[in-house]
Amino acid sequence: MPSKPLAPVLTIDGPSGSGKGTVSRLVAERLGWHMLDSGALYRAVGYAASMADIDLTDADAVTRCALAAKIRFRPSEDGSDTRVVVNGHDATDEIRTETCGAAASAVAAIPAVREALRDKQLAFRKRPGLVADGRDMGTVIFPDAPFKVFLTASAAERAKRRYKQLKEKGLSVTISGLQREIEARDERDASRPVAPLKPAEGALLVDSTGMPIDAVVAKVIALVQPD
Ligand SMILES: Nc1ncnc2c1ncn2[C@@H]1O[C@H](COP(=O)(O)OP(=O)(O)OP(=O)(O)O)[C@@H](O)[C@H]1O
Ligand SMILES: Nc1ccn([C@H]2C[C@H](O)[C@@H](COP(=O)(O)O)O2)c(=O)n1
């Protein structure tokens, strides 16, 4: 019997703060598709390893931690967002800090950690479709995806966006400090030998510098549903 065709996937890769999460969520809502925030998985491993006082350069210990970590996504009680539960603890807010972003970037450079998270990511591919956000969605995890986007913005613009986001949460940050952290993370993610941050072949390149969120969403929707 012929096997059922796999659900379609839209991959949205790009550097930190380019708007992948925001755009993926809005596009997934519009299409009625599932969503995978793959960065949250790496953040969860970085968080679990840090909680266990594991040296993030100890690849074997971090890999054991990644294999043992129980990471769960669940809707919040009022259904307005998705909670990330790591080893039974709701770590949604803790994993969003720049410190946890840097820890995620460090553990993500370990090939065995990426392997440990691979099947979890593939399991999100379900009908009617999946919007997958990350760094290697179109290059490594879903290379056969029919729709691929690489979303960027200048580092200065991304730092301003992150500044606004963190200030609204009452955190004490500076734009120049955030820009340095963003550039360091970009450099690490793009230069690692395994699954580096780069556009997938055939991806639609979208530079969102100075572009409103709605316009980015419209461009991405037009890729999936051309009229
Ligand atoms: N086109 C845009 N114009 C202005 N602000 C934007 C735009 N896109 C996203 N933002 C804002 O920038 C911030 C970062 O966006 P978001 O978290 O979606 O980025 P990201 O690429 O998923 O980042 P990360 O990879 O670090 O999780 C959010 O506050 C979001 O509202
Ligand atoms: N597919 C992915 C997703 C994320 N990472 C790493 C690299 C990022 O710096 C870090 C945090 O991701 P974010 O939440 O900012 O999207 O996780 C990766 O290597 N591959």
Side-chain angles (χ1 to χ4, degrees):
M1 203 165 53
S3 55
K4 254 171 93 181
L6 289 168
V9 180
L10 161 65
T11 61
I12 305 189
D13 290 307
S16 168
S18 56
K20 303 178 303 294
T22 307
V23 171
S24 297
R25 199 166 40 254
L26 292 168
V27 170
E29 271 168 29
R30 288 268 295 273
L31 297 173
W33 285 12
H34 303 279
M35 200 194 138
L36 164 61
D37 172 3
S38 62
L41 292 173
Y42 289 96
R43 285 173 184 265
V45 172
Y47 171 80
S50 304
M51 285 297 104
D53 272 333
I54 292 170
D55 173 356
L56 300 184
T57 63
D58 182 342
D60 289 342
V62 176
T63 303
R64 280 196 297 277
C65 175
L67 288 166
K70 301 261 181 296
I71 307 167
R72 216 158 48 83
F73 294 96
R74 66 161 178 78
S76 59
E77 308 228 309
D78 64 2
S80 63
D81 69 346
T82 300
R83 311 304 294 178
V84 184
V85 182
V86 185
N87 294 329
H89 171 73
D90 185 334
T92 315
D93 297 325
E94 286 139 297
I95 65 165
R96 288 297 151 202
T97 61
E98 278 307 307
T99 309
C100 202
S105 174
V107 303
I110 302 170
V113 169
R114 304 197 73 83
E115 199 45 48
L117 295 179
R118 191 188 169 84
D119 286 350
K120 278 190 177 50
Q121 296 172 79
L122 294 175
F124 277 77
R125 187 172 195 169
K126 288 190 188 136
R127 301 202 158 273
L130 174 68
V131 181
D133 133 32
R135 303 293 186 290
D136 63 340
M137 298 294 94
T139 50
V140 176
I141 303 295
F142 302 110
D144 64 332
F147 312 108
K148 298 183 183 184
V149 171
F150 192 79
L151 184 59
T152 59
S154 70
E157 166 120 358
R158 289 185 282 129
K160 275 193 221 144
R161 290 177 186 173
R162 188 68 83 206
Y163 178 80
K164 190 162 170 267
Q165 194 180 28
L166 296 177
K167 275 288 178 191
E168 280 164 8
K169 288 189 181 164
L171 297 176
S172 164
V173 283
T174 62
I175 296 186
S176 55
L178 287 171
Q179 186 166 336
R180 273 195 302 278
E181 284 171 356
I182 280 173
E183 284 171 341
R185 190 134 70 92
D186 287 355
E187 167 61 22
R188 193 204 306 251
D189 293 343
S191 64
R192 66 182 176 224
V194 59
L197 166 68
K198 64 172 183 188
E201 216 181 299
L204 172 72
L205 302 184
V206 181
D207 183 342
S208 70
T209 312
M211 199 172 165
I213 295 173
D214 286 0
V216 181
V217 169
K219 207 164 174 154
V220 174
I221 293 276
L223 174 73
V224 181
Q225 295 180 331
D227 47 24

